[in-house]
Every structure is written in C-alpha cells, then in structure tokens.
Amino acid sequence: MPLTRPDLDTIPRYVAGKNPSDVARESGVAEAVKLASNEVPYGPLPGVVEAVADAVSNTHRYPDPAVVALRNRLGERYDVAPDRIVSGCGSVALAEHIVRAAVLPGDEVVYSWRSFEAYPIITTSCGATSVQVPNTGAHAHDLDAMADAVTERTKVAFVCTPNNPTGTAVHADDLERFLDRVGPDVLVVIDEAYREFVRDPEVPDGLAAAKGRPNVVVLRTLSKAWGLAGIRVGWLAADPSVADAIRKVVTPFSVNHVAQAAALAALDAEDEMNRRVDLVVDERTRVVNAVRELRTDVPDTQANFLWLPLGDDAAEFAAGCEKRGVIVRPFAGDGVRVTIGTPAENDLFLRAAGDLL
Ligand SMILES: Cc1ncc(COP(=O)(O)O)c(C=O)c1O
C-alpha cells in the first residue's frame, strides 16, 4: 500500500530554474547567467537589506499573524481596503490557498494551457480536476473557449495575465466579456505576477476589473518587479467574505517577520522599482526585436520574459544555451521561456540564440 496519495503520480513536479554554479561546472564555462526564473537582475531595492538586518534581531518572536502594517501599506498604495487583502508566502502559496478554500473533491478548475506550471499541481493536490483550455495559435488565452469550458462543477478559473510562460496579456474588453459570461458563481483569479511590466494600454489593471465583482480575486507578488523573490511575499485582493475564507486555510505565520519588514521597505522604494522595470522593458524591446530576426513567431510579451515556440526543439535549444553559459527554461515539446536580464546577460543569450536558431 502506498503511504501517500497515488494520484500525485499524475502531476508533474514544479521545476525551479537551475543553479548558475551547477551549470557552469557541468558546462565547463567560467560563469553562467540565469535567465530562467523571471527575476529582476538588479539586486534588492534600496533600504531592503537594512530593513532585513533590523528585523533579524526579533527572530525569537512570532511575526504579526495578521500582517497589519503591510496590509495597511498595500491598501493605501493600491486603494484597496485592508480587510480585502490577504498576504502569503509568495503568490504561488496564495494560489493554492484560494483553490483549497474553494473546491471539494470532483470540482473543476479551468485555466489556459500552457500557463503557470503551478496550476495543475495545485488543482490536483486540492482534489479537484483540471480543465485545460488550449492557448490560441498566438499563444494567448482563448477566453471564449475558457468561458465555454465552465460547467456547474467549475469553482475556480485562473486568468494569467501576462501569461507565464508565453508573455501574452488579455485585453480589457475580452476580460469584461469573459467575466460577464462566467457569471458570479465561479471564483475568477486574475494572476498578475508581472503586472508592473505591462505597457500595452489595452491591458486592464485587474484591481479595476475586479471592482463591483465579488467573485474576482486579484493575485500580486513582490517577487518580480519588487525584487523579493528570495524572501517570499505575495498578496491578493478579494471580496471581504472571500478573503476571510482564504485566511482560514493560510498556513499561520506564513509571511515571516523579516519578510514583512522587507516588503515594507521595498514598497518605500517604488521610484527605483519603476526605474528598474523601465530598464527591463527597454531591454525586452531590444531582445524581442533581435530574436525576431532569427524567428518571426515570437509572440508580443508584456512580461519580463519572452517565449520561443520551438516545439520539439525546446529541450535541445535549452541544452545548447547551457553549454554557452546561459540558463533558460525549456518546456519540453512546447517552447522555451527566456527572462530579460541585464544588457550583458541578454547579449550572451542573443549570441547563443544566433548560434542555435
Ligand atoms: C504567473 C505566476 N503567478 C505566480 C507566481 C508565483 O510567484 P511567487 O510565489 O514568487 O509570488 C509566478 C512565479 O513564477 C508566476 O509566474
């Protein structure tokens, strides 16, 4: 008899980006750069290291379980009442808490595919059934097909915008039509982990789209633009009753004391965050244009990464990049996601792409 659930054999493992020192050793290069985890490459924001150092002196005490100061600060910044805000150990943990709070065994979770690799893992581990709706030929969400896929068993639908790993983002009119069609009885999670990198004016702010719709939950993170991937702070905005239900399933104290302090300091450095994101967006334009000289089928991206739809060549391309000291993220049989790094890192990737494509 297995000691753990046999259905876990049906879900893939979450694959984290490889470690640069391991890849450098394996490939025999002096140094490898990591363009595999959608991090911003410019270090912690000013004030974060000092805030962490200060907070460390209190490690013998439990953190504030209600995360009051941070929720108040987020509430002010985003004009959301703090009772609508739930924080978590990264937004991936919150995505799991949302599903856990919504589904019973046999319920369905609808999402576009390919999208964030955590969705199938979360859905199955919560005992629900994944309903994966193929992306359009342009690697975007097919929101009409997703609305068609909703049944009376659907409890949650994820809209990942910009979509990880393809970078495409949904437009306001399409999202409104989707929300109207899905109706008020399905929790629609707008996962905006890459919101700060969006420049297309047709892409709505999820927080605005959620106004007046109690079934819409907006998921944000401080991991990407705000540079806190290693310290793990995500947050969501939801109707107060939904937020309250989610809080019941959140692991107690999951945003630790140091993380709360770091998040407050990062939010104080918004101007510098914006400056860095602008650098990434400029580089995104440069890298996408250069890659399109090699392949014309790279979709427009609103995130800090681009998607190479290489199909069966994905794994080989990624291995070729690693040999050249560049770690990218392959999705076997489908494509490769490449994070936008510093100009020098991007040049290294473009050189590898020039050799391999
Ligand atoms: C679409 C999307 N949502 C959520 C997350 C989770 O980020 P974190 O748990 O670091 O907040 C990621 C991370 O890659 C992501 O791509």
Side-chain angles (χ1 to χ4, degrees):
M1 273 295 267
L3 292 171
T4 56
R5 287 166 39 184
D7 63 341
L8 295 183
D9 291 342
T10 66
I11 49 173
R13 244 165 241 285
Y14 189 94
V15 181
K18 286 193 178 175
N19 188 335
S21 52
D22 293 344
V23 170
R25 200 177 46 250
E26 286 161 21
S27 304
V29 293
E31 235 180 293
V33 302
K34 184 177 167 206
L35 301 179
S37 297
N38 301 340
E39 298 143 336
V40 167
Y42 298 111
L45 286 166
V48 167
V49 171
E50 294 79 1
V52 166
D54 271 0
V56 164
S57 62
N58 235 5
T59 50
H60 59 302
R61 300 284 182 204
Y62 280 99
D64 171 10
V67 197
V68 172
L70 178 57
R71 287 194 300 118
N72 286 342
R73 182 81 171 76
L74 289 166
E76 266 168 40
R77 165 62 187 84
Y78 291 97
D79 193 20
V80 178
D83 66 338
R84 293 175 172 269
I85 295 177
V86 185
S87 57
C89 181
S91 60
V92 69
L94 287 170
E96 192 259 349
H97 300 328
I98 295 166
V99 175
R100 190 138 50 101
V103 303
L104 289 169
D107 287 338
E108 292 172 352
V109 177
V110 170
Y111 53 88
S112 195
W113 197 250
R114 180 171 288 277
S115 187
F116 183 33
E117 64 185 304
Y119 300 155
I121 299 171
I122 288 169
T123 301
T124 302
S125 67
C126 290
T129 301
S130 280
V131 178
Q132 298 185 336
V133 178
N135 289 336
T136 66
H139 310 285
H141 280 29
D142 186 341
L143 288 175
D144 284 330
M146 286 173 68
D148 290 342
V150 168
T151 70
E152 70 277 5
R153 301 182 78 176
T154 307
K155 288 291 181 299
V156 179
F158 281 101
V159 176
C160 187
T161 177
N163 185 44
N164 175 8
T166 62
T168 54
V170 305
H171 284 182
D173 46 354
D174 296 331
L175 181 63
E176 285 301 314
R177 194 172 64 247
F178 173 76
L179 294 173
D180 287 344
R181 281 194 61 198
V182 166
D185 297 329
V186 175
L187 271 188
V188 177
V189 182
I190 305 180
D191 184 345
E192 294 191 312
Y194 304 96
R195 169 69 210 165
E196 293 82 358
F197 303 96
V198 170
R199 292 295 178 270
D200 178 351
E202 309 246 354
V203 175
D205 182 316
L207 292 168
K211 286 233 162 82
R213 296 191 188 263
N215 64 313
V216 175
V217 181
V218 177
L219 201 50
R220 296 279 181 99
T221 182
L222 296 183
S223 292
K224 312 292 181 181
W226 299 90
L228 294 186
I231 220 155
R232 317 297 306 130
V233 186
W235 60 281
L236 64 77
D239 183 76
S241 65
V242 175
D244 221 33
I246 295 168
R247 269 186 214 109
K248 289 188 179 160
V249 302
V250 168
T251 310
F253 306 110
S254 60
V255 182
N256 69 60
H257 183 62
V258 175
Q260 292 183 35
L264 286 165
L267 290 164
D268 281 342
E270 182 164 356
D271 289 347
E272 176 61 11
M273 181 280 287
N274 284 323
R275 193 187 71 79
R276 295 177 182 194
V277 167
D278 282 343
L279 293 176
V280 171
V281 169
D282 286 349
E283 275 295 288
R284 172 175 84 192
T285 305
R286 181 178 78 90
V287 176
V288 168
N289 287 342
V291 175
R292 281 187 178 151
E293 301 273 311
L294 305 166
R295 282 187 74 103
T296 53
D297 57 357
V298 175
D300 283 332
T301 171
Q302 292 296 313
N304 64 335
F305 52 83
L306 61 88
W307 176 243
L308 289 166
L310 297 176
D312 289 338
D313 297 332
E316 196 185 327
F317 176 83
C321 285
E322 279 183 22
K323 282 209 185 89
R324 290 161 176 80
V326 183
I327 308 168
V328 294
R329 176 70 168 89
F331 295 87
D334 205 351
V336 174
R337 190 189 68 203
V338 185
T339 304
I340 304 297
T342 62
E345 291 170 344
N346 300 331
D347 284 343
L348 209 59
F349 163 69
L350 288 173
R351 223 170 300 142
D355 287 350
L356 294 164
L357 288 179

